[in-house]
Amino acid sequence: MMASERLTRSSAAVPGSRGMLRRIAEGLGLWLAFSLMLFVHPLYAEASQAPMTSGGELYFVDQKGQWQTPALTLDSDFDIQVSGLMASTRLTRRFLNTSDDWQEGVFVFPLPENASVHGLTMTVAERTIEGDIQPKAQARQRYETAKAAGQQAANLEQQRPNLFTARVANIPPGEGITVELRYQQQVDYQAGVFELRVPTTLTPRYMPGQPVMATLPEGGWAPATTQVPDAHDISPFTVRTSDVAPDSHRASLVLRIDAGMPLASVDSPTHRLSTRTDGSRVEVQPEQEAIVMDRDLVVRWQAMAGKEPKVAVFHQRWLDEDFLMAMVVPGASQSARLPRDLVFVIDTSGSMAGAPLRQAKAAMQWGLSTLSPDDRFNVIHFNNQAHSLFMQPQAATGQNLARARRYVDGLYADGGTEMASALRMALQGSGGSVDETGERVRQVVFVTDGAVGNEAALFAQIRRSLGDQRLFTVGIGSAPNMHFMREAARWGRGQYTAIADPTDVSKPLQRLFAAMEAPVLTDLQVRWPSQASSVESFPDRPGDLYLGEPLVQVIRGQAPAGEMRISGRVPGGRQWEQVIDLQQASRSDGIQRLWAREKIGYLLDSAHLAGVEPERERITRVSMDHGVLSPYTAFVAVDRQPVRPSGATLSTDPVPTLLPAGTQPGMLRYPQTATGWPLFTLLGLIGGTLALVFAWLRGRAEQ
């Protein structure tokens, strides 16, 4: 009886022991899965972002997994001539093939957001080939045909108003090809300070939306998405300075300023300068012979006190047509300051990590210090989502301001750049409030690096949601997306600025917030002497003007004769008017290109506002008639003589851009620089360990 009972108890104990062993196995499995998650992610990230060499070379992996040495080095030279309000630039880039194979170079790079590109020249050995502007598809076809035929060729396309792609085909082993771009831009002027920005690199942009392709196309790190269909065209690889050859990604620069007036100062918040002055003419160069292309170069100059321009008129005669450009700076108004509802929006996405977020926090703290007890305010930060400090704007009391300062200090950078949700909250949601009295000025200050690929959708959102508010933008970082800054402020009826010097945030913000506190000149109208239907002036409808902000108009078909009248209204209803004698116009070149660029922008904006496709043929015609690049045209230069032997293969190498100075390594975007062997090794070890553990447990259970 006792033996039988012991046998029964023993039999009953076996299932229990097996259940306990199963629970032990499940616990071990969960522990190993958690360990796998902790160890695999950093190893995978390291394999994706870090090169497997500490030398000064960038290695690529071909389709067979074989290492390739770097093929191309790049150097640049900027020769800039400023005359009055216009800057003309010759940008020379040399692509040198250091390999033993024939190469094609592809380089995605920034230019100023208001640049009018009007020329491309290719130099091979001692031969110079002038490029032609053609419809984009036709130019690309001509380039591809020449590339396949072994001819040396260059192609330039516009991806965004400030982002371009250059292709150079059939670079011989050990030799180079030089490509020269010619572009012009209008010099920025604000509150007595002239500014010229020379972009050299770009911050990798966030691409919202769902991927629409399974594999990455050649040359970009981002796949096309539902919101950014050309993501692969605007996502060049981004590497450290140490990842390229020591003589690559360097630039020389000479800037000659003929301001037409004596200057009080010439300086730069980004680089140390060497200057030589001859009357009103100044020659400027960086102290370093060659600067690293990891940040924008910004040069500012200021006229002597009392010599600041109030009115400037320039004239050009081109192909039997007259073109005029007029600039008017209204005087300061003495009207009283109105109380404000001010919403601060700060970008805390991953691209802002490091120095950019520190700059952004300093900008926010500076902005909070400008509030008066009559103002109300709120603070919004965004990455993958938007979050606000208050449900509604609160009075700028000492307690609320102290809470806001602590809130800003505690912010950190992480995640994506879902800017649409932040705009929605600031313009429509809890960020703003309804002012039924009409006695408050409603303003939004947007602090960001603008590293997004869906700019057009965001501009449309601003237009839809703005109402009676004003949107101001503050560009952050060493290479902000100035196209976004300028256009968001334009559609938001505000102003924009950029913080180029991380040690001096106050200067640009002081000018911006002084303008925000000043009364706005509204209901602007411009009347030219000629009323002929052939006369076209831009901008078609001038926006509001703030303190120290100039009104610039360009017109075709108006001779330098008669009077131009500009009128507007200041707060309180008082009328303001300025009369300009056009006979005082100074001669200038390039105004027709500025007019053509404004015309193209007007046609694009009109289509977007109407929700229709832009008139491609009309835009293409304006572009080709005036020789100015557009979204639908491209430059192409082809050498007639084939040089690549018929049996020689041609490799394509995307030329990377440099990681913007001050940006965290998390923004690096490498080509496939590692095979991921640490990840696979770890997976194998963990899999083997799991197999041994389960085998041991099963053996114990069967005993």
Side-chain angles (χ1 to χ4, degrees):
M1 185 72 175
M2 292 181 62
S4 175
E5 184 178 354
R6 284 196 302 269
L7 180 61
T8 301
R9 289 177 178 176
S10 176
S11 299
V14 171
S17 63
R18 288 178 179 175
M20 182 175 65
L21 289 176
R22 278 197 299 271
R23 287 192 294 273
I24 292 174
E26 290 171 357
L28 283 172
L30 288 172
W31 178 82
L32 286 171
F34 183 72
S35 301
L36 178 68
M37 179 185 70
L38 291 177
F39 285 101
V40 167
H41 182 268
L43 282 174
Y44 178 76
E46 182 179 356
S48 299
Q49 294 186 351
M52 294 177 63
T53 175
S54 58
E57 294 184 332
L58 174 67
Y59 287 88
F60 296 92
V61 176
D62 61 20
Q63 294 179 350
K64 297 180 181 179
Q66 301 297 316
W67 290 111
Q68 293 179 287
T69 56
L72 299 175
T73 64
L74 173 76
D75 62 69
S76 302
D77 176 74
F78 294 84
D79 189 329
I80 309 172
Q81 177 70 51
V82 174
S83 178
L85 293 174
M86 300 291 290
S88 299
T89 300
R90 289 180 177 268
L91 169 55
T92 305
R93 298 200 192 275
R94 186 167 186 260
F95 297 83
L96 177 63
N97 181 5
T98 62
S99 74
D100 296 327
D101 301 317
W102 290 80
Q103 296 289 341
E104 176 195 27
V106 179
F107 186 43
V108 179
F109 61 96
L111 286 181
E113 74 281 0
N114 58 349
S116 301
V117 181
H118 60 87
L120 177 143
T121 302
M122 179 177 68
T123 302
V124 181
E126 298 189 4
R127 298 189 305 281
T128 298
I129 300 95
E130 192 70 30
D132 299 322
I133 189 168
Q134 299 178 359
K136 181 179 283 189
Q138 180 179 328
R140 176 66 76 87
Q141 181 59 49
R142 184 181 173 194
Y143 171 81
E144 295 293 340
T145 300
K147 181 176 75 171
Q151 298 167 281
Q152 292 175 318
N155 173 243
L156 177 68
E157 297 179 350
Q158 175 183 315
Q159 311 299 343
R160 295 289 190 277
N162 65 335
L163 198 59
F164 297 78
T165 299
R167 295 176 177 84
V168 184
N170 291 309
I171 308 174
E175 298 183 26
I177 291 180
T178 299
V179 176
E180 179 188 277
L181 308 181
R182 296 183 295 280
Y183 66 88
Q184 69 177 42
Q185 66 189 108
Q186 183 182 321
V187 176
D188 285 335
Y189 177 79
Q190 178 70 37
V193 178
F194 297 87
E195 179 177 294
L196 188 74
R197 177 178 289 265
V198 182
T200 65
T201 190
L202 64 147
T203 303
R205 302 185 177 189
Y206 177 70
M207 311 296 180
Q210 298 300 316
V212 296
M213 51 177 43
T215 59
L216 283 174
E218 186 175 327
W221 58 262
T225 73
T226 52
Q227 295 188 40
V228 192
D230 63 344
H232 56 284
D233 290 327
I234 62 172
S235 57
F237 300 123
T238 305
V239 301
R240 295 183 178 93
T241 305
S242 59
D243 294 324
V244 298
D247 58 347
S248 186
H249 290 71
R250 302 302 193 269
S252 59
L253 181 142
V254 176
L255 169 62
R256 299 175 182 88
I257 304 172
D258 184 0
M261 65 188 75
L263 299 181
S265 64
V266 179
D267 56 34
S268 170
T270 59
H271 295 75
R272 295 177 64 89
L273 299 179
S274 172
T275 61
R276 291 189 300 173
T277 303
D278 181 11
S280 62
R281 299 183 179 183
V282 181
E283 183 174 290
V284 181
Q285 290 181 283
E287 284 189 355
Q288 289 181 297
E289 185 175 344
I291 59 174
V292 180
M293 295 169 58
D294 65 348
R295 72 193 71 193
D296 293 354
L297 184 147
V298 178
V299 181
R300 294 173 180 153
W301 57 97
Q302 192 164 3
M304 291 285 189
K307 300 294 185 180
E308 299 91 345
K310 298 301 180 184
V311 176
V313 186
F314 302 91
H315 171 250
Q316 178 188 17
R317 184 73 177 172
W318 183 78
L319 295 183
D320 295 327
E321 279 194 303
D322 290 297
F323 291 84
L324 285 174
M325 177 174 69
M327 182 189 81
V328 181
V329 183
S333 171
Q334 302 300 317
S335 300
R337 175 188 183 277
L338 294 175
R340 297 176 295 170
D341 277 352
L342 186 53
V343 179
F344 298 94
V345 184
I346 181 171
D347 182 349
T348 57
S349 62
S351 65
M352 294 285 289
L357 185 60
R358 291 193 293 273
Q359 291 181 31
K361 287 183 176 182
M364 295 286 284
Q365 299 288 10
W366 207 96
L368 289 170
S369 70
T370 68
L371 296 172
S372 74
D374 293 332
D375 296 330
R376 298 186 302 202
F377 78 101
N378 203 351
V379 177
I380 295 172
H381 81 93
F382 72 95
N383 40 52
N384 291 328
Q385 293 180 325
H387 305 272
S388 64
L389 172 60
F390 304 116
M391 293 296 293
Q392 295 289 340
Q394 299 296 310
T397 63
Q399 182 178 358
N400 286 336
L401 287 172
R403 182 178 174 185
R405 293 186 184 281
R406 292 193 300 271
Y407 183 77
V408 171
D409 283 338
L411 298 176
Y412 60 91
D414 189 25
T417 314
E418 290 293 344
M419 200 173 286
S421 60
L423 284 171
R424 188 179 308 112
M425 182 176 287
L427 298 176
Q428 295 179 305
S430 60
S433 64
V434 177
D435 176 31
E436 297 179 352
T437 66
E439 296 179 353
R440 286 184 172 272
V441 179
R442 302 176 62 194
Q443 298 173 330
V444 176
V445 178
F446 215 90
V447 184
T448 177
D449 58 9
V452 290
N454 62 328
E455 296 101 323
L458 296 171
F459 300 152
Q461 181 181 357
I462 293 170
R463 293 195 298 268
R464 291 192 306 267
S465 307
L466 187 66
D468 62 350
Q469 301 169 95
R470 300 282 196 274
L471 174 66
F472 300 80
T473 56
V474 179
I476 295 295
S478 54
N481 180 358
M482 292 304 295
H483 167 58
F484 174 82
M485 304 300 160
R486 176 188 291 268
E487 291 300 292
R490 181 170 73 91
W491 289 111
R493 297 186 298 163
Q495 283 188 358
Y496 69 99
T497 190
I499 299 175
D501 182 2
T503 65
D504 188 5
V505 175
S506 63
K507 284 184 180 179
L509 292 180
Q510 186 174 9
R511 290 195 295 268
L512 180 69
F513 281 96
M516 291 173 60
E517 293 178 359
V520 180
L521 185 62
T522 60
D523 298 331
L524 283 171
Q525 294 184 357
V526 178
R527 293 185 297 277
W528 296 87
S530 176
Q531 301 297 322
S533 59
S534 59
V535 172
E536 290 184 282
S537 63
F538 298 104
D540 182 50
R541 296 177 181 175
D544 302 339
L545 290 185
Y546 292 83
L547 178 65
E549 181 181 16
L551 169 66
V552 178
Q553 283 274 303
V554 287
I555 186 170
R556 183 186 72 170
Q558 172 65 60
E563 292 181 337
M564 168 189 176
R565 294 180 177 270
I566 304 175
S567 61
R569 193 178 302 277
V570 298
R574 185 170 60 87
Q575 192 73 16
W576 171 89
E577 185 176 71
Q578 180 88 39
V579 179
I580 302 171
D581 182 5
L582 298 181
Q583 295 184 47
Q584 64 179 303
S586 303
R587 185 184 177 280
S588 182
D589 293 325
I591 301 177
Q592 99 281 359
R593 300 190 193 103
L594 177 60
W595 178 90
R597 192 182 190 282
E598 291 291 326
K599 171 77 171 182
I600 291 170
Y602 167 75
L603 293 173
L604 291 170
D605 288 345
S606 298
H608 293 152
L609 285 171
V612 298
E613 284 296 315
E615 299 179 74
R616 285 177 175 257
E617 292 185 5
R618 192 176 177 189
I619 293 172
T620 300
R621 185 167 61 252
V622 173
S623 171
M624 296 180 64
D625 287 347
H626 293 82
V628 176
L629 205 61
S630 77
Y632 307 127
T633 52
F635 277 102
V636 61
V638 175
D639 192 0
R640 295 178 179 274
Q641 183 65 37
V643 293
R644 177 166 53 89
S646 58
T649 58
L650 179 68
S651 301
T652 298
D653 279 321
V655 180
T657 60
L658 294 186
L659 181 71
T663 305
Q664 294 289 77
M667 293 309 295
L668 290 168
R669 297 292 185 268
Y670 282 104
Q672 185 181 350
T673 54
T675 60
W677 64 267
L679 170 62
F680 299 136
T681 302
L682 182 61
L683 287 173
L685 289 173
I686 291 178
T689 303
L690 279 172
L692 290 174
V693 168
F694 281 116
W696 177 77
L697 290 173
R698 183 175 181 180
R700 290 292 305 270
E702 292 177 351
Q703 289 179 358

